[in-house]
Amino acid sequence: MKNYDKYSRSYFMPPVPSTNWVHKSHIEDAPLWCSVDLRDGNQALVIPMDLDKKVEFFTYLVNLGFKEIEVGFPAASETEYNFLRRLIEDDLIPDDVTIQVLTQSREHIIKKTFEALKGVKNAIVHLYNSTSLAQREQVFKKSQDEIIDLGVLGAKLLKECAEKEEGNFRFEYSPESFTGTEMEFALKICNAILDIWQPSKDNKVIINLPSTVQVSMPHVYASQIEYMSENLKYRDHVIISIHPHNDRGCAIAEAEMGLLAGAQRVEGTLFGNGERTGNVDLVTVALNMFSHGIDPKLNFDNIPDIVHFYERITGMSVPPRQPYSGELVFAAFSGSHQDAIAKGMQYRGDHQITEWSVPYLPIDPEDIGREYGSDVIRINSQSGKGGIGFILHENYGFDLPPKMREDIGYTVKNVSDHLNKELKPNEVYEIFKKDYVNVEDKVRLIDYHFKRNGEFIVELILNVDGEQKVFLGHGNGRLDSVANAIKENLNISYTIQTYTEHALERGSNSLAAAYVGISLEDKVFWGAGVDTDIIFASIKALIGALNRKFKEK
């Protein structure tokens, strides 16, 4: 590509190696979560939420289990201010939930923020000012010392205002554009802020280290976090928070590596909505932990409902391949994938396994409100016998013989290919029922009567080409005697290659299903029979297989 040489690496590695995090294999505990959907997320919408929608969204986030929610920048607009007042005055904030508000390090903005907070029980006041080399040189035209003075001024004002107000106030500081800041300077300004706030065991301070713009590979961010974690003052009384954006598509990796490197808190949004390419997707980070056996302490057990709510309230769409949440993320169209999933599920049942380990499924879709029949095994022209057999078994109770699944698989795939569309489970079932179940074309069963005199003797009453006929036959079993009666009277030679049966439902009035495969002219033809009488079902399956042969002719 042209112009690649105009780009330099605009980030700074720590002055000392900070790579202890690479030796950790997993995150051990869920972090503190802070949703910024109502601030970062809202300001990134084409049409920002109105007051009622913001209240509804806030309540939904509470129900999902968020204990810290950034509700906005109350000094920035009348809508933001009124939203905060609505939450406080209508007593919509549960006692165990802390709201968070954002403020720049400017006196009139800080005072307006505390005015909006009057009457709040618990709040985090989030102070920020930009510290990166690019911002200092190009935007603010200030030295490092002047940037520190600006941050310190804001920290002092926060402390003074909080002391004058009732309520439990905690402080948070963000060196905005942290990832483009020299690490020694980032440490210096954060420590200067901490010296003002004097954190303690009962009054901890949040130092938020945002990847405001992703400018490096995620391991660099992790090393930056570890450096800060190891060198901040008052470390035992400081909560390190991270706020990854997704400019390089690495927000999830940055969040996970940042937690390995010492972060204790994550700010982000549902499904990663945010400016430019978005924020870190908290749903994905949380469910990644869940997939490793860690309780994320958030209620993500009904992802379809969360997606529906989010899309309705924001007007945004969750992409079909969004991890865990997208419509297609568990979908297996490939025949080999479907077969492996079906066999994995069968293996779990046969061996009564409790731990999850199924090919191609990192978690059990049912744990987050997804369904196997409609979400996992999806049928199109690329599907195989395993998936189609799985659909018929899971949704309708048919346990087909392996070779019959293969035959039906080709039939269903041909329909999908001809229509150029995905087939829903009910469409697969209709194809199976029409082409295989109780098929009555040339030959139709009317009745039968058995006698036994050493061997089985059958009187078989059939309708053949519209004419009722009575056939007699004998054999060493009921189905064998029926098969022989048909062979002798219709002058056709075949062999029953496969016969299986099972109950479709429980109870005295349950249906039975039977499957028959007959070998004829070097080819196998399949039929299925369904009836309350297993003998009727078996004979219907045999006649169905014959009718499929006659139909082909």
Side-chain angles (χ1 to χ4, degrees), residues 17-294:
S18 299
T19 56
N20 291 325
W21 62 271
V22 302
H23 303 293
K24 300 176 183 178
S25 65
H26 62 278
I27 297 165
E28 295 183 353
D29 297 296
L32 300 170
W33 304 103
C34 179
S35 161
V36 295
D37 289 272
L38 296 168
R39 200 267 300 181
D40 269 31
N42 185 58
Q43 72 182 13
L45 298 176
V46 175
I47 303 175
M49 291 177 277
D50 61 23
L51 185 59
D52 288 338
K53 283 186 176 180
K54 293 186 80 170
V55 170
E56 186 179 0
F57 205 154
F58 176 83
T59 302
Y60 196 82
L61 291 169
V62 169
N63 292 334
L64 289 178
F66 284 97
K67 300 303 180 185
E68 295 180 3
I69 301 171
E70 188 164 272
V71 296
F73 196 142
S77 72
E78 184 178 355
T79 300
E80 299 277 280
Y81 185 95
N82 290 338
F83 172 51
L84 179 54
R85 294 311 308 160
R86 172 90 171 269
L87 293 178
I88 296 170
E89 292 170 5
D90 289 1
D91 198 21
L92 298 176
I93 308 167
D95 290 344
D96 64 343
V97 172
T98 301
I99 61 165
Q100 179 171 303
V101 294
L102 193 68
T103 179
Q104 293 174 327
S105 186
R106 299 169 67 182
E107 183 175 3
H108 71 284
I109 292 177
I110 291 172
K111 289 182 176 179
K112 183 76 171 179
T113 300
F114 276 91
E115 176 186 311
L117 285 168
K118 284 186 180 297
V120 74
K121 295 176 184 176
N122 300 294
I124 296 168
V125 185
H126 183 181
L127 174 73
Y128 75 96
N129 67 310
S130 195
T131 60
S132 70
L133 177 61
Q135 292 265 20
R136 296 195 318 263
E137 290 183 343
Q138 301 171 35
V139 180
F140 299 107
K141 296 180 171 45
K142 292 183 180 295
S143 67
Q144 288 188 4
D145 287 342
E146 288 174 312
I147 294 294
I148 290 175
D149 289 343
L150 183 62
V152 167
L153 174 64
K156 289 178 178 178
L157 283 169
L158 254 63
K159 193 172 182 179
E160 292 172 5
C161 290
E163 289 171 352
K164 297 175 183 177
E165 299 291 340
E166 295 182 1
N168 177 31
F169 293 102
R170 294 162 55 204
F171 299 146
E172 175 177 349
Y173 174 69
S174 290
E176 192 202 2
S177 301
F178 164 76
T179 47
T181 303
E182 306 91 328
M183 288 299 102
E184 300 96 323
F185 177 55
L187 180 65
K188 186 176 181 180
I189 191 169
C190 287
N191 279 334
I193 301 294
L194 291 172
D195 282 337
I196 301 299
W197 286 340
Q198 293 288 307
S200 64
K201 180 181 179 181
D202 298 323
N203 186 27
K204 292 187 176 181
V205 164
I206 300 167
I207 292 294
N208 186 54
L209 303 172
S211 176
T212 309
V213 180
Q214 274 186 346
V215 291
S216 69
M217 294 173 69
H219 74 286
V220 173
Y221 185 59
S223 295
Q224 293 170 335
I225 299 301
E226 184 172 287
Y227 170 75
M228 297 293 287
S229 177
E230 291 180 342
N231 292 281
L232 280 171
K233 293 182 177 181
Y234 316 97
R235 182 63 186 89
D236 289 344
H237 309 315
V238 171
I239 297 169
I240 292 184
S241 176
I242 53 178
H243 184 121
H245 280 239
N246 200 40
D247 301 88
R248 292 170 54 91
C250 299
I252 303 298
E254 284 197 343
E256 294 184 330
M257 291 182 184
L259 289 170
L260 290 176
Q264 301 145 287
R265 181 178 184 267
V266 180
E267 295 186 348
T269 60
L270 299 181
F271 311 118
N273 179 42
E275 289 185 297
R276 306 185 307 279
T277 54
N279 285 33
V280 66
D281 174 10
L282 296 185
V283 177
T284 298
V285 178
L287 291 179
N288 280 353
M289 294 179 189
F290 179 75
S291 74
H292 285 172
I294 299 167

Side-chain angles (χ1 to χ4, degrees), residues 379-382 413-423:
I379 305 302
N380 64 14
S381 61
Q382 305 302 308
K413 287 198 297 182
N414 285 339
V415 172
S416 176
D417 192 30
H418 177 73
L419 297 176
N420 193 28
K421 59 171 281 190
E422 177 188 355
L423 299 177

Side-chain angles (χ1 to χ4, degrees), residues 345-381:
M345 295 298 293
Q346 182 68 41
Y347 185 86
R348 280 179 59 79
D350 292 345
H351 294 81
Q352 297 183 334
I353 296 173
T354 55
E355 287 194 1
W356 184 256
S357 177
V358 172
Y360 300 112
L361 295 179
I363 67 170
D364 184 347
E366 288 189 342
D367 286 337
I368 58 173
R370 307 295 292 270
E371 298 179 358
Y372 294 109
S374 58
D375 289 315
V376 179
I377 304 296
R378 306 279 289 264
I379 305 302
N380 64 14
S381 61

